[in-house]
Amino acid sequence: MLDIPIIRQDFPILGHKVYDKPLVYFDNAATTQKPRVVVEKIRDAYYNVNANIHRGVHFLSQAATEAHEEARQTVQQFIHARSAHEIIFTRGTTEAVNLIASGFADAFMSPGDEVILSAMEHHSNIVPWQLQAARKDIALRVVPVNERGELCMESYRDLFSERTKLVALTHVSNVLGTINPVEEIIRIAHRHQVPVMLDGAQAVPHVQVDVQALDAEFYVFSAHKIYGPTGIGVLYGKEEWLEKLPPYQGGGEMIATVAFEKTVFNELPFKFEAGTPDYIGSTAFAEALRYVEGLGIERIAAHEQELLRYATERIQAAGPVRIFGQAAHKSSVLSFLMGDIHPYDMGMLLDRLGIAVRSGHHCAQPLMKRLGIEGTVRASFALYNTKEEIDTLIAGLEQIQTMFLKK
Ligand code: PLP
């Protein structure tokens, strides 16, 4: 069991009050709070090891380079990649998807080719593909979602054609919490010789990810959703695929030699890391991963599952609630609507009680359309949340409901 009161002391922000009420932070799917070790790592890196990396021969530059490359190894080990040069640092999930969409469309797709997405994708795994679809005249095929918020696997199987070039799906839905059957998804795609990219933004903080066991060709995620800093994320790719993809951006660092006649690109991972990378962010990111490893992802998941179970049970007893996302396998995300209270009203009223939830379409408008709603209220739980905080949420919901009934 995790010692939550002790763990909470690692996160100074959790001790804050908003509107004179203790902060209840349930917006973890948007971004997580940062433990002290991560914030201190950033400060320490700027104070003690700040110099631009890779090209410098001086002491500080070498120390900073070493820290950055060690961070890459930490990420590699965290997701069980075969080699550190299969880890590309990006600005986040969004940039990683754009990198793949752009390179993949250029290198492997012709007019009429198809990419399989799903109806539960975040906009960042839809729009990059639409941009390429418009540029290269390729088609997007969409796996539907059933009433429980699960992918329709029969339809997925039927979507493959001679023209399918890639499957790009989310591992875990940011709205429904659904943990998709990615092993099966990948097995089916591979039977058709189609590579798979998984959006792991909502998975990595909650489930053990082993990219080799999964056998995904690409896997992307963001540091800030797993207790790390903003502005940095990861594109994992199998070496053979990364070798085949063209560079995404040009500039320093990604080249071996430059002449006006011809430029030779650098080897992996640097081919995809044009310009000065976020070498401070990478070391803080590694610190966050070590923090998570120290607690144990399985223990974190067990705690979050208990919070989800408790919250689901309590909210259903609290009033006329519709829960969106009733998949058999769910992460700690609870999307709901109460009566006909608009999600923005609910979000604002909860905020006045010190409770931070997200309301709206959650960057998944096609999913909202599928569900026939404008948006939901989303409470998403992390390792530092407690049942007492859920009690506060439920009391808040009951109070708001009474207010609306009186109207
Ligand atoms: N994919 C999913 C499933 C997400 O939940 C998010 C963020 O909410 C993203 C992608 C985009 O992540 P980022 O904004 O860190 O690039």
Side-chain angles (χ1 to χ4, degrees):
M1 292 285 280
L2 298 176
D3 190 343
I4 305 301
I6 296 287
I7 287 174
R8 285 178 71 85
Q9 290 173 18
D10 293 339
F11 294 83
I13 206 168
L14 298 178
H16 283 206
K17 289 196 165 178
V18 291
Y19 313 112
D20 224 20
K21 308 256 176 4
L23 168 68
V24 173
Y25 187 77
F26 283 159
D27 196 15
N28 296 288
T31 200
T32 51
Q33 300 302 345
K34 318 305 169 198
R36 204 174 258 120
V37 283
V38 168
V39 180
E40 276 166 9
K41 190 76 189 175
I42 296 170
R43 206 176 70 135
D44 175 62
Y46 275 122
Y47 280 175
N48 299 309
V49 259
N50 179 41
N52 207 336
I53 60 171
H54 289 142
R55 290 171 296 270
V57 292
H58 61 82
F59 178 87
L60 266 189
S61 173
Q62 290 190 10
T65 304
E66 229 167 78
H68 183 65
E69 292 309 323
E70 271 174 27
R72 200 187 301 278
Q73 283 167 15
T74 305
V75 175
Q76 174 211 341
Q77 285 153 15
F78 192 82
I79 60 167
H80 303 277
R82 198 166 55 85
S83 132
H85 59 247
E86 293 180 319
I87 304 298
I88 314 294
F89 284 121
T90 64
R91 280 197 304 119
T93 306
T94 303
E95 188 177 57
V97 177
N98 276 277
L99 188 162
I100 296 176
S102 153
F104 204 90
D106 276 346
F108 303 113
M109 300 191 80
S110 316
D113 283 346
E114 297 170 0
V115 178
I116 295 180
L117 311 177
S118 87
M120 65 167 80
E121 298 309 312
H122 188 280
H123 294 163
S124 63
N125 192 33
I126 299 174
V127 185
W129 297 107
Q130 286 177 326
L131 293 176
Q132 298 308 322
R135 210 167 60 84
K136 299 277 291 199
D137 197 19
I138 57 186
L140 308 183
R141 296 277 172 258
V142 181
V143 188
V145 170
N146 69 20
E147 286 310 308
R148 289 186 305 280
E150 295 163 329
L151 293 179
C152 303
M153 291 301 285
E154 274 312 305
S155 312
Y156 170 64
R157 280 192 191 87
D158 292 344
L159 281 178
F160 284 88
S161 77
E162 307 265 279
R163 306 306 304 259
T164 310
K165 287 294 183 315
L166 184 75
V167 170
L169 289 184
T170 196
H171 188 165
V172 172
S173 160
N174 66 315
V175 178
L176 308 164
T178 311
I179 302 175
N180 286 320
V182 286
E183 291 84 359
E184 193 187 349
I185 284 168
I186 293 169
R187 223 178 304 121
I188 293 166
H190 285 180
R191 237 179 268 145
H192 294 271
Q193 275 89 48
V194 172
V196 177
M197 187 213 82
L198 292 180
D199 170 352
Q202 298 293 342
V204 166
H206 309 290
V207 295
Q208 183 90 59
V209 172
D210 180 331
V211 289
Q212 287 190 79
L214 276 178
D215 204 21
E217 277 64 33
F218 304 105
Y219 197 96
V220 300
F221 62 104
S222 300
H224 70 97
K225 294 191 196 279
I226 181 163
Y227 313 101
T230 54
I232 187 161
V234 170
L235 156 61
Y236 157 80
K238 283 185 187 170
E239 181 174 346
E240 68 207 82
W241 281 95
L242 292 176
E243 290 290 4
K244 285 187 279 193
L245 283 186
Y248 179 50
Q249 292 180 330
E253 198 73 26
M254 52 75 73
I255 51 86
T257 60
V258 177
F260 279 108
E261 298 71 35
K262 183 177 168 56
T263 285
V264 178
F265 302 129
N266 206 340
E267 59 195 14
L268 292 174
F270 311 113
K271 180 173 100 175
F272 294 107
E273 293 182 354
T276 299
D278 185 0
Y279 56 85
I280 303 281
S282 63
T283 56
F285 182 12
E287 198 62 41
L289 296 181
R290 279 192 287 275
Y291 182 83
V292 167
E293 267 172 346
L295 298 175
I297 194 91
E298 259 122 32
R299 288 200 298 167
I300 293 172
H303 171 67
E304 291 171 342
Q305 284 298 313
E306 179 54 19
L307 292 178
L308 178 68
R309 187 202 60 75
Y310 183 70
T312 306
E313 194 181 288
R314 287 228 51 202
I315 208 172
Q316 277 166 328
V321 165
R322 286 166 73 197
I323 293 178
F324 298 89
Q326 313 253 18
H329 300 285
K330 262 189 81 170
S331 74
S332 50
V333 166
L334 188 60
S335 267
F336 63 93
L337 286 174
M338 184 165 257
D340 54 7
I341 305 173
H342 194 280
Y344 280 118
D345 290 338
M346 185 64 94
M348 274 158 55
L349 291 165
L350 287 172
D351 173 55
R352 300 308 292 192
L353 301 172
I355 305 164
V357 293
R358 190 142 292 241
S359 31
H361 55 63
H362 315 297
C363 296
Q365 285 180 332
L367 178 60
M368 294 301 132
K369 190 168 173 203
R370 158 69 182 86
L371 298 172
I373 52 177
E374 261 180 69
T376 72
V377 181
R378 181 185 72 185
S380 48
F381 312 121
L383 63 87
Y384 37 64
N385 288 127
T386 64
K387 286 187 178 171
E388 291 72 32
E389 289 180 308
I390 290 169
D391 292 339
T392 308
L393 170 69
I394 301 297
L397 293 176
E398 285 167 350
Q399 194 179 325
I400 292 164
Q401 219 192 134
T402 316
M403 232 170 73
F404 269 77
L405 279 181
K406 275 199 202 132
K407 271 194 174 174

